[in-house]
Amino acid sequence: MADQGQQQEGANIVNIQGSNINEVRGEVIQIDNIQQAQAGVIHTDNIQHFHAHYDIHAAPPPVAQQPQVQADAGSPGNMQEEMPSTSGSASRLQTRERLNESRKRRNVNLEISNQDLLMAGSASLLQTEKPTNVKIKDSSIAIMGVGEGANMQPMASGLALESVLPTKKRKKKKEKYVAAFKRDVNRYACRQAKGSVTHLYKDQRMAEPKFEANPRVRKLSYFYSGEMAPKIKEYQKEVGFSVLKEFGSEGNLVDLKQILQSFNSKENWHIAIVGQAGSGKTTFVERMVREVAVRNNLWGDRSSLDQTERHYEIIYFVYIRDLLDSESITAKDLLFGKIITDSSEKSRKYGYEWIIENQEKVVFFFDGLDQATWSLGGHHGKINHKDKASTATVMYNVFTGHLFPRVQKVTSSREHCIAPLTGEPRPQIIYALVGLSPNDVKSLFIALLGKIGQQQWDRVCSTSPAIIPLCSVPVFLIYNAIVQKFNPENPPDTMTGVMLEILDILLQSPHVRDKQVLHKLKEMAFRAMSEGRVLFTKDELLKFGIDSIKDLVIEVPGPTKSSHCLLEGTQQIYFSHQVIEENLAAMFVSEMGVGDFEVFLENSIHQDHWSVVRKFVCGILLNPDSANDWPPQMLQIKDKKAKEEILRRSMNEQLKETNDSTALMELFGALYESNDAELIRSHVHNIDFKEATINPSGMLAISSVMRRSGNLNFLRFSECELTTELFDIMMSNLKDFPLKVKKFVLYNRFNAELFASVTKFTESYVDEMVLEDCQGKDEVEIISRSVISKKVFINKIVLRLGTISEQLSIETGIVCSKYNVECLLLQHVGLREIHLRNFLKHVGNGKLKELNVGWNENPGVDEAAVTGIIVSQCEVEKVRMVNCNLTAEAMKAFKENVRDAKLKKLDVSYNENLGVDGVAVTGIIVSQCEVEKVRMRGCNLTAEAIKAFKKNVRDAKFKELDVGYNNYLGVEGVAVTGIIVSQCEVEIVGMWGCNLTAEAIKAFKENVQDAKIKWLDLSRNDVSKLGDEGLTTISEIVHQCQVQTLQMFLCGFNSDQLKRFKALIADTGVEFKYK
């Protein structure tokens, strides 16, 4: 053993005796032939603890002369070692045998000889009880915290020494770095999360509202699902500026509290907020950030400075446009290096490590995925936290959860960036912003304008109500408020007017006007619209003659003349709102030469893609209120009269040809922008929307055309899902306009509020109203309590699948009396005599055309009797008593009370207990009431029953006889049916599912003689039973009775039979239905 303090030739020797050294850090690069033995941290405490962390991926070192770590002669030989295996697990070795065992695992040579310690390879803990000599050969090591009594010898390769704190203090200092990191990240998030609606428009002197109103939010039940999503373009017509249905209209409305409750679920670790441009996504996300910060006591200066227990300890918030676009960067540097600039490198290092270890306590907010200069599409490999990769790859790993799998993530974007995502990058929940509520629009509008707010709101409601629904889009609300501020006496009343004035306000800089930048932007916007794009690059700016981004900074008039950008973004550029791009494109179209203009109108403008631009073109060229003397730098329209005539002619043709409801609404929107009353009155006399989805913009367009038309012959909304909000938009837009509607038809579910709006509209503008359908207890109650002075007709009342009460039967009678109900359907309602008598008492002189009491299975004789009285008193023409368990006695009671009422239709199908007598009474009723259509499907008819019917029907003439689904007629019963058809001159015959045979159909043919049959239904009769003979007989009936339509669905034709049968009837001209 070498003497202490003696320097051996070729070796670096460190003798440390009686020392209080606490920490040693070192990197052993080479010890003789041992390569890459990386030591990270060495701890000593009175030379008792020796920690060395080595790179476990280093090549195993070869056997070599060992550097020595020596202890004094008096030291006990109880040294211990803790060694990590290649898998990271630790083992503790106390003896030479255990050390030899570890050598097999990792080529580790640790020897204890005469209290000397020799080391090579990987070791993590060495302990000695006494001061120890450390020999390091051909290496360098940093020793920190050298205490009193340390004896350090000179080293050939050099030895770096520096002082550090003890281990406990080092841990505390690391905690301080982490605390500082938390504070800096949270403070940055809080500074960014302004949640203000006016901070971009301070120079327009907008007042920040003292309250907050968020757009309505829907949790989408369906959103373009990944690979099945259409390849949507960047450009999509925005809700509010077109009649498109809201893409989030199918989901349930939720509030901010409910969204935050979905955080940190295993299923919902990534959620998205989607919305159109200007829908308030950024403000909404900022308010989410603030709410999470407040809930976790992280708002303001409290961030990370107290010991409050929190669910989240770090809130990270970044605008995606601020992330560095790099080809080689780590996740730590991307997310925090260039964003959280207040933190030191050590804070970021320890803070990032803390996030990795405590992911459940962290939430990431990313705003504006649609503004990213990189794409999540394509192939991106998996990376770890230390790997460098492109920004796109790093963010792909963040969004997929390969990095930070347990961190809650929130991303906002326009929908075109979320729709194509599939698999791991796709958010688990998608929420859609669907616009401000009408009440919030009003409150915000008034607040933004301060002292003149209420005055201007009243003016808008009176002179330009069509503008109000557009303000559900937050950015347009701001634009409209700015225009009202600058022009309070004569504000515009169309979307075109507002946008032209806002552009004029935003384009006051002589610098811009002199450079003709606006005209360059017009062309750029038009070309982008043609390609369906909203994003631009700097190269494109140069292509269009815009030589610097500064040319796009437009000064806004105000006290400080600060600037506002029409175009936003850095490397990728986009208009601050899509409606600016659409308006500029329309200005470009309006400025085209006459020839190009005509070609564009003929080939493009009426395509759905250009419908918003068409509105602006109509507003610019046809609306006299928009024909201001704009400066040439703003708008230069040559040959305006010629273009007006071309556009008006094109709109005329489109109005004549358009039948599609959505396209018609878009046309109406363009007509409104044109404000061309002559064009509207000459072409719009009837407005008929059936099964159309109408949003606020659609109703705005429709009602705007209505008020300019003056008079309408017919107005119908059928199955259009109208709401109170939509009706109120219509009423607001029609206020003080002299409109007359001769007939108004509505088929729509309603509540009390909606029906009140319908009543108000009817009283104000309608001569006659028809409610096509009234369904359920609630609607009947609402109508029974309403008072309408105009003529109102209700086509049908439907009460189905419930238990009718005595009160409801009374209210039903009242409604039928007041509103000329044509059809009353009472199915599956447990109908009893008391209900029928209540109805009878309150219906008074009301008339019904149809009464359906089917599927009430337990009525008896009394119920049938009262039904007969109702039929007689209300002059009912069609009676359906299907599946009512009718008996012969019940039919007799009905017959006695129905008297000589004239019935067009009697349906007693699926009453299996009629028997021969019941069918016989049915025949008497047919004769007595001159019934035109008789149905007895599924009544267990037999030959005897049909004979009794024939006997009592006598010489009555009726058009239809349906005895389908009666399997027991037999040959004789089918023969008698033929006699009835001939004798009563029946034109429509139904014998489907009657188990017909060749013999039966032959008997029918012989007895039907030369009766003229328009419709013969033999469906569900098996061809295999009819055989070739039966098919031949049917073909003879077709010839003999001049059958016009033969129906044989589900008869089991094979291809050969079908071919031969078609040949048999080919010369008759009969319409043969068999599929």
Side-chain angles (χ1 to χ4, degrees):
M1 185 176 78
D3 293 334
Q4 292 181 9
Q6 181 179 354
Q7 181 173 352
Q8 298 181 9
E9 184 179 358
N12 297 328
I13 301 171
V14 180
N15 293 330
I16 305 174
Q17 299 176 353
S19 171
N20 287 317
I21 291 177
N22 290 297
E23 180 164 317
V24 178
R25 290 178 178 269
E27 181 175 359
V28 181
I29 304 303
Q30 180 177 357
I31 301 178
D32 282 352
N33 295 322
I34 301 174
Q35 305 293 325
Q36 298 298 324
Q38 303 289 333
V41 180
I42 300 173
H43 291 271
T44 68
D45 186 3
N46 290 322
I47 319 301
Q48 290 184 12
H49 298 282
F50 189 97
H51 253 230
H53 291 268
Y54 287 88
D55 181 2
I56 64 172
H57 300 294
V63 177
Q65 180 181 353
Q66 309 298 328
Q68 297 180 358
V69 181
Q70 299 177 337
D72 286 345
S75 301
N78 60 348
M79 303 177 69
Q80 295 179 346
E81 180 236 353
E82 181 175 315
M83 177 78 56
S85 70
T86 55
S87 65
S89 62
S91 61
R92 180 171 295 275
L93 306 179
Q94 294 178 310
T95 65
R96 179 182 299 274
E97 287 77 20
R98 298 285 295 276
L99 293 171
N100 289 335
E101 212 174 290
S102 74
R103 185 181 299 119
K104 297 176 183 177
R105 294 198 310 271
R106 188 67 174 81
N107 257 358
V108 174
N109 298 314
L110 291 173
E111 296 184 1
I112 301 173
S113 175
N114 194 24
Q115 307 305 322
D116 291 347
L117 195 152
L118 308 178
M119 181 181 72
S122 298
S124 66
L125 175 62
L126 302 174
Q127 293 183 334
T128 64
E129 296 290 338
K130 299 293 183 178
T132 303
N133 290 338
V134 181
K135 286 188 179 183
I136 303 174
K137 183 178 181 181
D138 294 334
S139 305
S140 55
I141 184 168
I143 301 178
M144 299 166 287
V146 180
E148 281 187 33
N151 180 11
M152 292 171 290
Q153 299 293 330
M155 293 178 292
S157 300
L159 182 65
L161 304 174
E162 59 178 297
S163 179
V164 297
L165 294 173
T167 303
K168 291 182 179 178
K169 291 184 178 180
R170 184 176 62 83
K171 182 179 179 182
K172 288 183 179 179
K173 190 164 186 179
K174 179 178 178 180
E175 291 173 350
K176 286 184 178 180
Y177 283 131
V178 172
F181 176 80
K182 292 180 181 178
R183 180 194 62 226
D184 293 339
V185 174
N186 291 329
R187 283 182 176 176
Y188 178 83
C190 294
R191 285 198 304 268
Q192 297 290 94
K194 305 176 188 69
S196 167
V197 297
T198 63
H199 65 278
L200 293 177
Y201 307 95
K202 291 179 181 178
D203 292 329
Q204 281 68 53
R205 302 184 295 281
M206 294 290 103
E208 180 68 27
K210 295 181 181 179
F211 61 92
E212 289 187 351
N214 290 317
R216 292 166 294 183
V217 185
R218 289 189 184 275
K219 180 181 179 181
L220 298 188
S221 54
Y222 168 80
F223 187 71
Y224 305 118
S225 51
E227 294 175 355
M228 298 302 294
K231 293 183 178 179
I232 60 174
K233 298 178 181 179
E234 292 173 6
Y235 174 80
Q236 295 288 304
K237 293 192 301 180
E238 302 287 17
V239 176
F241 298 93
S242 72
V243 301
L244 283 176
K245 183 179 181 180
E246 293 92 336
F247 60 86
S249 61
E250 290 85 0
N252 296 321
L253 284 172
V254 296
D255 56 24
L256 182 56
K257 180 180 178 181
Q258 290 171 300
I259 295 175
L260 296 180
Q261 286 174 344
S262 69
F263 275 22
N264 234 23
S265 165
K266 291 181 180 179
E267 294 79 19
N268 306 330
W269 55 268
H270 186 193
I271 71 173
I273 308 295
V274 298
Q276 64 189 53
S279 62
K281 296 185 297 296
T282 294
T283 301
F284 188 79
V285 171
E286 288 175 356
R287 290 175 179 174
M288 288 180 70
V289 170
R290 188 186 59 201
E291 183 67 21
V292 173
V294 170
R295 289 186 179 196
N296 291 274
N297 201 28
L298 297 174
W299 186 253
D301 292 335
R302 291 172 293 177
S303 175
S304 300
L305 297 181
D306 57 54
Q307 300 302 315
T308 304
E309 185 176 348
R310 304 178 174 94
H311 186 79
Y312 294 113
E313 296 186 29
I314 289 181
I315 302 173
Y316 173 78
F317 175 42
V318 68
Y319 303 113
I320 286 181
R321 63 174 180 264
D322 292 337
L323 292 176
L324 180 67
D325 192 354
S326 172
E327 289 301 316
S328 179
I329 193 168
T330 64
K332 177 174 74 70
D333 289 339
L334 176 66
L335 299 177
F336 300 102
K338 302 299 181 182
I339 303 297
I340 314 300
T341 56
D342 293 344
S343 289
S344 67
E345 178 57 35
K346 284 188 177 180
S347 287
R348 288 194 290 271
K349 176 183 182 297
Y350 291 126
Y352 191 83
E353 291 173 357
W354 185 92
I355 290 176
I356 295 172
E357 295 169 0
N358 299 273
Q359 295 183 38
E360 293 83 357
K361 299 179 180 180
V362 182
V363 56
F364 287 171
F365 288 91
F366 299 102
D367 180 58
L369 180 60
D370 52 296
Q371 300 170 22
T373 57
W374 36 266
S375 172
L376 293 175
H379 175 73
H380 298 281
K382 295 182 181 180
I383 61 171
N384 62 40
H385 288 283
K386 292 185 179 180
D387 289 341
K388 288 186 175 182
S390 68
T391 294
T393 297
V394 173
M395 293 307 297
Y396 176 87
N397 279 266
V398 171
F399 284 134
T400 57
H402 295 311
L403 298 179
F404 309 111
R406 301 186 307 282
V407 169
Q408 179 67 51
K409 302 171 190 71
V410 179
T411 306
S412 74
S413 176
R414 289 169 67 179
E415 64 266 29
H416 71 82
C417 284
I418 299 294
L421 296 181
T422 62
E424 292 179 318
R426 187 173 179 83
Q428 285 78 44
I429 296 182
I430 299 175
Y431 295 100
L433 303 187
V434 293
L436 297 164
S437 71
N439 289 336
D440 286 340
V441 168
K442 176 181 178 180
S443 300
L444 287 170
F445 183 93
I446 293 171
L448 286 167
L449 290 171
K451 293 181 180 180
I452 67 168
Q454 186 64 55
Q455 164 195 312
Q456 292 307 114
W457 176 259
D458 293 340
R459 181 187 293 273
V460 169
C461 291
S462 174
T463 62
S464 51
I467 290 296
I468 296 173
L470 296 176
C471 293
S472 66
V473 181
V475 74
F476 195 82
L477 174 63
I478 297 288
Y479 287 167
N480 193 25
I482 292 173
V483 170
Q484 296 286 333
K485 190 86 171 181
F486 277 81
N487 188 8
E489 297 302 321
N490 188 30
D493 65 349
T494 63
M495 182 171 67
T496 306
V498 171
M499 291 311 303
L500 288 176
E501 288 208 21
I502 200 70
L503 279 177
D504 190 44
I505 291 170
L506 296 178
L507 295 170
Q508 297 297 320
S509 168
H511 163 74
V512 172
R513 290 170 182 263
D514 290 345
K515 284 198 167 188
Q516 298 291 304
V517 169
L518 181 59
H519 295 303
K520 298 171 184 177
L521 290 177
K522 293 174 190 174
E523 183 180 0
M524 190 172 78
F526 175 78
R527 301 302 174 198
M529 282 287 302
S530 300
E531 298 168 8
R533 294 190 299 112
V534 297
L535 296 175
F536 309 90
T537 64
K538 288 184 178 180
D539 290 341
E540 287 181 279
L541 300 186
L542 294 175
K543 176 182 176 182
F544 287 102
I546 302 171
D547 57 5
S548 97
I549 193 70
K550 293 180 180 179
D551 286 345
L552 305 181
V553 179
I554 312 301
E555 289 189 357
V556 176
T560 62
K561 288 287 184 181
S562 68
S563 63
H564 176 77
C565 292
L566 277 183
L567 290 181
E568 295 181 355
T570 51
Q571 294 183 347
Q572 279 191 321
I573 299 162
Y574 52 94
F575 285 96
S576 57
H577 190 274
Q578 184 171 291
V579 72
I580 293 177
E581 177 181 344
E582 292 162 332
N583 192 39
L584 290 172
M587 294 168 75
F588 181 83
V589 172
S590 302
E591 292 177 336
M592 286 178 173
V594 173
D596 291 339
F597 179 81
E598 190 166 14
V599 170
F600 180 74
L601 260 61
E602 182 178 348
N603 296 331
S604 301
I605 201 168
H606 297 301
Q607 296 174 7
D608 183 65
H609 175 82
W610 292 97
S611 60
V612 179
V613 171
R614 179 177 61 187
K615 291 181 183 180
F616 284 128
V617 172
C618 286
I620 292 169
L621 291 177
L622 299 181
N623 192 332
D625 295 336
S626 299
N628 296 339
D629 293 327
W630 301 106
Q633 295 91 342
M634 174 78 172
L635 198 58
Q636 298 179 14
I637 301 177
K638 298 178 181 179
D639 302 311
K640 188 170 184 290
K641 292 292 184 184
K643 292 176 184 175
E644 287 177 6
E645 184 58 33
I646 294 169
L647 179 57
R648 190 173 283 109
R649 185 171 63 247
S650 179
M651 292 294 289
N652 283 340
E653 294 171 357
Q654 203 66 22
L655 281 167
K656 293 176 183 177
E657 297 172 1
T658 301
N659 295 315
D660 177 75
S661 294
T662 301
L664 188 59
M665 276 187 282
E666 293 286 18
L667 264 179
F668 281 3
L671 287 175
Y672 167 69
E673 292 293 322
S674 73
N675 198 16
D676 191 331
E678 181 183 346
L679 178 62
I680 293 172
R681 288 173 182 167
S682 62
H683 286 87
V684 182
H685 305 294
N686 301 316
I687 296 178
D688 188 358
F689 288 100
K690 188 172 183 180
E691 297 181 356
T693 299
I694 301 177
N695 71 356
S697 291
M699 183 56 81
L700 165 65
I702 294 166
S703 56
S704 297
V705 169
M706 287 168 60
R707 75 176 188 173
R708 290 190 171 118
S709 68
N711 292 283
L712 287 174
N713 294 327
F714 182 78
L715 171 66
R716 177 164 67 174
F717 296 114
S718 180
E719 298 181 271
C720 294
E721 300 180 14
L722 297 185
T723 62
T724 305
E725 177 186 346
L726 292 173
F727 246 92
D728 288 347
I729 288 172
M730 181 170 70
M731 291 297 294
S732 176
N733 204 14
L734 294 173
K735 187 178 180 181
D736 299 327
F737 275 80
L739 171 69
K740 288 296 180 184
V741 180
K742 289 184 179 180
K743 187 173 183 178
F744 169 46
V745 179
L746 179 66
Y747 181 15
N748 201 87
R749 302 280 60 78
F750 56 83
N751 54 23
E753 188 178 17
L754 175 56
F755 195 74
S757 295
V758 171
T759 301
K760 184 178 179 181
F761 171 74
T762 302
E763 292 286 0
S764 301
Y765 303 106
V766 175
D767 291 338
E768 178 184 304
M769 176 193 171
V770 176
L771 190 62
E772 289 190 343
D773 189 292
C774 168
Q775 289 195 20
K777 170 179 174 290
D778 293 341
E779 292 186 5
V780 171
E781 289 178 351
I782 290 166
I783 297 175
S784 70
R785 296 165 188 169
S786 300
V787 177
I788 306 177
S789 62
K790 300 295 181 70
K791 290 182 179 179
V792 177
F793 299 89
I794 300 177
N795 283 344
K796 182 189 293 184
I797 291 179
V798 178
L799 296 174
R800 181 190 285 129
L801 298 175
T803 302
I804 191 170
S805 65
E806 292 187 31
Q807 180 61 34
L808 182 56
S809 64
I810 292 170
E811 290 169 344
T812 304
I814 293 171
V815 172
C816 290
S817 174
K818 289 169 60 177
Y819 298 121
N820 306 292
V821 175
E822 291 194 354
C823 174
L824 176 61
L825 190 152
L826 302 171
Q827 285 187 333
H828 288 290
V829 293
L831 202 59
R832 292 291 180 269
E833 180 188 5
I834 184 63
H835 303 133
L836 291 166
R837 291 201 177 277
N838 283 339
F839 174 83
L840 183 63
K841 178 179 179 180
H842 290 89
V843 75
N845 296 321
K847 307 302 179 187
L848 285 173
K849 289 186 176 181
E850 182 174 349
L851 176 63
N852 185 337
V853 293
W855 302 93
N856 289 286
E857 297 182 358
N858 297 311
V861 175
D862 292 338
E863 286 79 8
V866 180
T867 302
I869 297 172
I870 293 172
V871 170
S872 177
Q873 180 176 312
C874 296
E875 300 179 8
V876 177
E877 298 177 353
K878 300 177 182 178
V879 181
R880 296 195 70 198
M881 296 185 289
V882 174
N883 195 27
C884 287
N885 203 21
L886 296 176
T887 61
E889 289 73 19
M891 287 303 297
K892 287 176 183 177
F894 177 80
K895 176 189 79 69
E896 290 170 1
N897 288 285
V898 78
R899 300 173 186 169
D900 56 355
K902 305 304 178 192
L903 297 179
K904 291 184 177 180
K905 182 174 182 177
L906 177 63
D907 190 348
V908 292
S909 298
Y910 303 106
N911 286 286
E912 298 179 350
N913 297 319
L914 285 173
V916 174
D917 291 344
V919 176
V921 175
T922 303
I924 296 172
I925 296 170
V926 170
S927 176
Q928 174 182 308
C929 297
E930 301 178 10
V931 178
E932 297 180 9
K933 297 180 180 180
V934 183
R935 284 189 179 179
M936 295 185 290
R937 295 175 179 173
C939 288
N940 279 339
L941 297 182
T942 61
E944 290 73 18
I946 202 70
K947 284 178 183 179
F949 176 82
K950 169 187 168 294
K951 177 181 179 181
N952 288 306
V953 81
R954 299 173 185 169
D955 295 328
K957 308 300 180 189
F958 52 95
K959 295 181 179 179
E960 179 179 337
L961 175 63
D962 191 337
V963 293
Y965 202 49
N966 284 286
N967 292 324
Y968 306 111
L969 284 172
V971 174
E972 187 177 3
V974 174
V976 175
T977 302
I979 295 172
I980 295 171
V981 170
S982 175
Q983 175 181 304
C984 298
E985 300 179 6
V986 177
E987 298 176 346
I988 298 172
V989 181
M991 292 190 293
W992 57 276
C994 286
N995 201 22
L996 297 179
T997 62
E999 186 180 0
I1001 202 69
K1002 183 177 181 181
F1004 178 82
K1005 171 184 174 292
E1006 290 172 352
N1007 287 285
V1008 78
Q1009 299 178 2
D1010 58 353
K1012 301 296 183 284
I1013 300 177
K1014 291 182 178 180
W1015 184 290
L1016 178 60
D1017 189 351
L1018 301 177
S1019 299
R1020 295 182 178 271
N1021 287 289
D1022 200 330
V1023 168
S1024 63
K1025 291 186 177 180
L1026 289 167
D1028 290 343
E1029 182 183 357
L1031 290 176
T1032 300
T1033 303
I1034 293 172
S1035 71
E1036 292 170 353
I1037 294 171
V1038 171
H1039 284 83
Q1040 175 181 309
C1041 296
Q1042 301 176 26
V1043 176
Q1044 296 178 15
T1045 301
L1046 173 64
Q1047 192 161 283
M1048 294 183 70
F1049 292 125
L1050 302 174
C1051 288
F1053 280 102
N1054 62 39
S1055 57
D1056 182 58
Q1057 289 170 329
L1058 185 61
K1059 182 178 180 180
R1060 285 188 283 110
F1061 181 72
K1062 282 184 176 181
L1064 292 172
I1065 60 174
D1067 61 338
T1068 65
V1070 67
E1071 182 182 7
F1072 178 42
K1073 298 181 178 182
Y1074 60 92
K1075 289 183 180 180

